[in-house]
Amino acid sequence: MSDFWSRFSRNRGAILGLVLLAAVIIVALIAPLIFPKGPWQMVQRPFLTPFATEGLPLGTDTLGRDVAAGLAYGARVSLLVGLVSTLVALAIGVPLGAVAGYYGGWVDEAAMRFTEFFQTIPNFALAIVLVAILEPTLTSITLAIAIVSWPPVARLVRAEVLSLSKREFVDAAQLAGLSNRRILLGQILPNAMSPIIVMASLMVATAILLESSLAFLGLGDPNIMSWGYMIGAARTVIRSAWWLSFFPGLAIVITVLALNLIGEGLNDAMNPHLNRKGRA
Amino acid sequence: MKHLLTTSFLVAAATGAFAQEQGGRLDIVVQPEPPSLMLGLVQNGPTQMVAGHIYESLLRYDTDLQPQPSLAKSWEISEDGLTYTFHLHEGVTWHDGEPFSAEDVVFSADEFLRETHSRLRVSLNYVESITAPDANTVVFQLSEPFGPFINSFEAGTMPIVPKHIYAGTDYANNEMNATPIGTGPFKFEAWEKGSHIHLVKNEDYYLDGKPYLDEVFFRVIPDAASRAVAFETGEADVLPGGSIENWDVARLMEDEDTCSTGEGWEFLAPHSFMWMNNREGPTSDERFRQAVMYAMDREFVRDVVWNGFGKVATGPVSSRTNFYTDDVTDYSHDPDKARALLEEMGYDGEPVRILPLPYGETWQRWAEAVKQNLQEVGIEVEIDSADVAGWNQKTSEWDYDLAFTYLYQYGDPALGTARNYLEDQIEKGSPWNNVEGYRNPELDAKWAEAAVTLGKEERQKLYTEIQQEIVEDAPVAWLLELEFPTLYDCKVQDLVTTAIGVNDGLRDTWIKQ
């Protein structure tokens, strides 16, 4: 573990990412404490500029709502959607890819054709269609994002399992008389975890972007304050009130960047042999 | 002295008339692209804006809703209010060169529109016969003195269509629908789908010297921000009401070359309100509905969401419509009264859903503001979401608690208002009728009486009583009399001169070079 940590911390970017993400998580957790009135309350005159009014550091939006409160509550939504949709996507992608890679033959064929069916439709288009059909609620949005994000997981896991199942320790396990299920779950999958974890951290970032894009297009849950919603609502006034789209945009950039940096750090830490950048 | 003053005023007006310059091209934004230009078949806003210059009706209306000549140069209404006689202009031709006559009017009103135009049918139900005693005279004989009938001769309500093209055909599938033939000041030239509709001057128009413009382009630009930019770059000369977001209206109006007017909506008088489901849930309790009225800060919404455009509605009738009264219960913002009413009814915190109108950011913000207002007095609220089709579905199938809408008034309570409150207008499948499910047989009788009462004062008395009682019941939550300012380049003159504005006004429009 300390080995892992020392390799991770050798990547400065990863540490920065971790700090940024921790900050976002803390803000999300304590949002109700700092802004007990919630993000929708109209607290002051609309269009107050940032850094001008006491108690409203980031100004107010088109209806006089506190932009800072919106950001804090938006963090909750972004992180929640990102995390849950990634877990769901893993729950679909990992078993499917593992079974396809391990058993091969017609199982593999069927699973991969099924995966390709989803891969041929552009992610975002499919997500829009799903949300539009299901009506935008937090659940349907999370589900839609999960449904469009699992195919790459399935393909990655399948490739990993394919290569691992040719290794000696698998032969050994088979000779020892272990069942296929136990070999897959107990021997192969644990060894395939590192690329999956790296991929998952990047998927959370993509999911946050997807959710924001959907909300931007007006396909967000209308009862939930999210960053994408804030930008979408501010789009019409971007020339007179820049801060309404700037701050939520910045929040998205920071969070997604943090997740990407962490992903890279994890990659360095878990695949030491790759040592891609030839760091000393 | 008084005489002298009048004369000099007339002289001034006459000189003004001579100054109108011929020629030029006008670019108007039309949003969204109309589905068809056959005004006899389709009467939605964009269609009317373009086709209102191709087709005409017998009358036009000025911004005080007073009838003015159009295809009819003069008209008489008999003492008993039962006989309407119209004298038509002579020498009028259709755009294809065929002569226009009273027979076309009889065909349009009695055959074509009776079949295709459901809104006009309400008026036509009072019409016993439509006859053409000679080629330039049309007589409408009514069975009862239906007062609002005089408001039925606007281009979108009774467009006159050519008998020689449509008689005996399947109207909806007539191939001439694609190249509309009317009597109006402009002729259809070309329609580049997704880009523009091109109209050219009708050289044979029956009014000397009119129209002044050589050609008109109706530009289709799908994005609101791009429409504002097109106006700023001079690519479009006119932004009709509602074509850009309110924030941009306020911003563009600051430019000194930009002129604006709120006129031109008197006939339609868009009136916004929330349907409140009178059948079930908390909204079925009158006290709850009154609480909603008191809880809403409608002035805030007018000032902030609508950038100061519009007027707080006092009841079902718009102040721009005939027979309006403001002598009704005053529902000014009063959260305490709202809380008291909720307490009295014993509201148990059952959540209500708000369905916003899916017409862009303004309406979404409005729903959010109302949600906040209602939550402040202790009402649990959730915002529903739906696209246009879903909104239609939910309101017309009564699957809502509170639902935003706005409807046109058509100049008279009997035409645009009564339909939302009469018991016989309760029917699933339409988002325009009595969607809230309000039942008041006593008032139904009064509405019916008011529609056919002779004399303005008598009608006013009945409509005042109706408004007073209905506002007390609060079957729906009246919001704002919407105002959609028309923005135009200041070189454009006489753009909005009628009660439907740019929907039929280009006949008199000219450009100062």
Side-chain angles (χ1 to χ4, degrees):
Chain A
M1 188 62 206
S2 69
D3 196 27
F4 167 86
W5 181 245
S6 76
R7 282 200 301 267
F8 183 86
S9 54
R10 221 182 302 157
N11 186 337
R12 295 250 176 77
I15 297 295
L16 177 68
L18 207 57
V19 171
L20 289 176
L21 186 66
V24 175
I25 291 173
I26 289 170
V27 168
L29 286 178
I30 62 170
L33 299 176
I34 339 173
F35 305 104
K37 287 187 201 153
W40 297 98
Q41 184 93 21
M42 297 173 275
V43 290
Q44 250 284 11
R45 276 189 304 119
F47 295 114
L48 287 179
T49 48
F51 316 117
T53 315
E54 204 176 327
L56 294 167
L58 301 184
T60 56
D61 74 355
T62 49
L63 282 184
R65 299 176 297 217
D66 187 350
V67 175
L71 283 187
Y73 282 87
R76 300 167 77 97
V77 176
S78 290
L79 293 176
L80 188 73
V81 170
L83 201 67
V84 175
S85 65
T86 301
L87 290 178
V88 176
L90 291 178
I92 307 172
V94 172
L96 200 71
V99 168
Y102 188 74
Y103 292 99
W106 68 268
V107 180
D108 187 22
E109 282 294 317
M112 284 304 108
R113 294 302 86 77
F114 182 64
T115 311
E116 276 160 12
F117 172 75
F118 279 88
Q119 279 192 306
T120 47
I121 310 170
N123 269 0
F124 193 49
L126 182 58
I128 289 178
V129 171
L130 287 172
V131 174
I133 294 172
L134 296 173
E135 289 196 357
T137 63
L138 199 55
T139 321
S140 70
I141 292 165
T142 312
L143 196 70
I145 295 176
I147 287 175
V148 303
S149 354
W150 68 264
V153 181
R155 297 211 80 106
L156 174 84
V157 173
R158 171 178 172 272
E160 284 294 316
V161 171
L162 261 180
S163 95
L164 286 172
S165 55
K166 305 276 186 307
R167 305 274 275 273
E168 286 89 352
F169 70 89
V170 175
D171 292 341
Q174 268 164 349
L175 284 176
L178 290 182
S179 71
N180 278 336
R181 200 167 64 93
R182 285 194 59 191
I183 297 175
L184 191 54
L185 290 178
Q187 306 291 325
I188 297 181
L189 272 183
N191 282 295
M193 278 322 277
S194 349
I196 296 176
I197 289 174
V198 172
M199 185 178 216
S201 73
L202 298 176
M203 279 169 65
V204 176
T206 318
I208 289 176
L209 278 179
L210 263 177
E211 190 277 332
S212 298
S213 314
L214 286 171
F216 175 80
L217 291 179
L219 286 168
D221 185 330
N223 294 294
I224 280 165
M225 181 65 83
S226 86
W227 294 337
Y229 159 84
M230 293 173 81
I231 300 177
R235 182 182 40 142
T236 46
V237 291
I238 194 162
R239 288 164 67 170
S240 49
W242 57 270
W243 63 94
L244 295 185
S245 26
F246 176 77
F247 290 118
L250 195 65
I252 294 174
V253 169
I254 289 178
T255 312
V256 171
L257 182 72
L259 283 161
N260 276 293
L261 289 172
I262 292 172
E264 201 170 301
L266 284 176
N267 197 31
D268 288 354
M270 291 175 144
N271 299 320
H273 310 299
L274 290 178
N275 208 2
R276 289 175 301 146
K277 290 177 184 168
R279 269 191 216 90
Chain B
M1 190 61 203
K2 193 182 175 202
H3 180 74
L4 195 69
L5 267 178
T6 327
T7 323
S8 60
F9 176 72
L10 275 177
V11 171
T15 357
F18 276 112
Q20 281 139 1
E21 293 167 38
Q22 292 282 342
R25 148 185 178 165
L26 195 69
D27 285 82
I28 303 185
V29 162
V30 60
Q31 163 58 28
E33 184 160 17
S36 157
L37 292 182
M38 175 50 201
L39 193 52
L41 296 170
V42 181
Q43 293 96 24
N44 67 10
T47 297
Q48 203 181 334
M49 194 194 303
V50 180
H53 299 97
I54 301 173
Y55 294 96
E56 288 179 306
S57 187
L58 298 183
L59 303 176
R60 301 179 359 142
Y61 299 86
D62 67 14
T63 48
D64 293 320
L65 294 176
Q66 293 306 307
Q68 303 292 323
S70 183
L71 276 172
K73 58 182 177 186
S74 63
W75 58 97
E76 297 112 38
I77 305 171
S78 64
E79 288 276 315
D80 57 9
L82 293 177
T83 312
Y84 287 63
T85 309
F86 293 90
H87 304 287
L88 308 177
H89 273 286
E90 278 144 39
V92 179
T93 56
W94 293 99
H95 292 161
D96 59 2
E98 295 285 321
F100 159 84
S101 83
E103 285 301 325
D104 289 302
V105 179
V106 174
F107 168 74
S108 299
D110 218 12
E111 291 179 44
F112 191 101
L113 298 171
R114 239 188 233 282
E115 187 179 319
T116 60
H117 200 319
S118 56
R119 179 160 59 80
L120 180 62
R121 232 177 280 141
V122 177
S123 302
L124 289 179
N125 283 342
Y126 294 92
V127 176
E128 258 178 11
S129 71
I130 306 172
T131 50
D134 65 63
N136 292 305
T137 311
V138 183
V139 179
F140 290 79
Q141 191 65 45
L142 272 59
S143 54
E144 284 177 275
F146 185 57
F149 193 58
I150 191 61
N151 284 330
S152 306
F153 301 95
E154 166 261 354
T157 312
M158 196 190 285
I160 304 303
V161 299
K163 183 179 183 184
H164 67 276
I165 290 176
Y166 287 100
T169 68
D170 174 6
Y171 306 143
N173 296 313
N174 190 311
E175 57 187 27
M176 288 299 285
N177 290 343
T179 50
I181 298 290
T183 59
F186 293 93
K187 296 203 265 193
F188 175 79
E189 174 73 20
W191 184 350
E192 197 80 47
K193 289 263 155 85
S195 166
H196 64 266
I197 298 165
H198 184 191
L199 304 188
V200 295
K201 176 177 182 167
N202 176 4
E203 298 286 352
D204 303 320
Y205 196 58
Y206 53 90
L207 295 177
D208 275 342
K210 287 188 180 182
Y212 304 109
L213 299 166
D214 285 337
E215 51 184 350
V216 182
F217 286 86
F218 289 91
R219 309 286 297 267
V220 180
I221 306 172
D223 175 61
S226 312
R227 288 192 285 274
V229 171
F231 182 75
E232 283 176 284
T233 57
E235 199 187 319
D237 306 307
V238 179
L239 289 173
S243 47
I244 56 173
E245 297 284 351
N246 294 320
W247 297 285
D248 270 342
V249 173
R251 185 173 62 80
L252 292 179
M253 271 166 74
E254 285 166 16
D255 193 276
E256 59 179 27
D257 291 332
T258 301
C259 290
S260 71
T261 175
E263 291 187 347
W265 288 88
E266 293 75 11
F267 185 78
L268 300 178
H271 206 62
S272 63
F273 51 89
M274 281 194 297
W275 299 117
M276 297 199 272
N277 201 331
N278 286 212
R279 302 173 191 84
E280 55 191 14
T283 46
S284 61
D285 192 310
E286 180 184 300
R287 288 165 296 187
F288 185 89
R289 301 197 299 266
Q290 290 165 340
V292 169
M293 288 299 291
Y294 283 118
M296 290 188 299
D297 190 348
R298 295 176 289 169
E299 281 183 5
F300 170 83
V301 166
R302 195 261 320 271
D303 294 340
V304 169
V305 179
W306 286 89
N307 279 70
F309 302 119
K311 191 165 176 255
V312 171
T314 55
V317 179
S318 165
S319 64
R320 288 176 284 186
T321 305
N322 294 324
F323 308 111
Y324 163 79
T325 179
D326 60 1
D327 183 17
V328 293
T329 314
D330 175 21
Y331 288 111
S332 295
H333 184 48
D334 191 340
D336 290 330
K337 245 184 198 162
R339 282 188 205 103
L341 280 162
L342 290 174
E343 183 144 349
E344 190 192 319
M345 76 169 268
Y347 172 62
D348 56 359
E350 185 184 340
V352 291
R353 300 166 295 163
I354 296 185
L355 185 64
L357 201 55
Y359 286 179
E361 296 297 324
T362 302
W363 294 89
Q364 196 66 35
R365 289 303 87 70
W366 198 347
E368 288 161 10
V370 167
K371 177 184 176 183
Q372 282 307 303
N373 281 158
L374 297 188
Q375 281 182 340
E376 270 160 40
V377 299
I379 299 174
E380 285 296 316
V381 188
E382 247 176 59
I383 296 185
D384 229 350
S385 58
D387 54 10
V388 176
W391 178 90
N392 269 320
Q393 163 90 14
K394 285 183 177 185
T395 47
S396 52
E397 297 299 315
W398 309 339
D399 175 20
Y400 69 93
D401 296 323
L402 300 167
F404 277 83
T405 190
Y406 76 89
L407 291 180
Y408 293 147
Q409 299 246 312
Y410 303 114
D412 194 289
L415 297 178
T417 314
R419 57 182 170 156
N420 302 133
Y421 307 99
L422 297 176
E423 188 167 347
D424 64 9
Q425 291 287 322
I426 299 179
E427 194 181 352
K428 273 195 182 179
S430 162
W432 328 117
N433 58 16
N434 184 347
V435 172
E436 79 275 18
Y438 176 63
R439 286 168 206 271
N440 190 334
E442 219 174 286
L443 270 193
D444 283 3
K446 262 186 198 165
W447 282 110
E449 193 191 340
V452 295
T453 296
L454 206 54
K456 269 208 143 175
E457 273 169 42
E458 285 76 13
R459 288 193 73 198
Q460 178 70 60
K461 190 169 157 285
L462 283 166
Y463 281 124
T464 302
E465 286 172 28
I466 290 172
Q467 287 172 65
Q468 283 167 342
E469 190 170 339
I470 215 162
V471 169
E472 185 58 32
D473 288 352
V476 303
W478 299 285
L479 300 167
L480 293 178
E481 296 175 7
L482 301 180
E483 189 181 316
F484 298 123
T486 303
L487 298 189
Y488 57 98
D489 190 314
C490 289
K491 71 181 187 207
V492 181
Q493 309 289 322
D494 294 334
L495 179 67
V496 173
T497 52
T498 70
I500 55 174
V502 285
N503 283 0
D504 71 349
L506 300 187
R507 185 188 87 179
D508 304 322
T509 306
W510 55 287
I511 294 176
K512 206 176 191 167
Q513 302 298 343

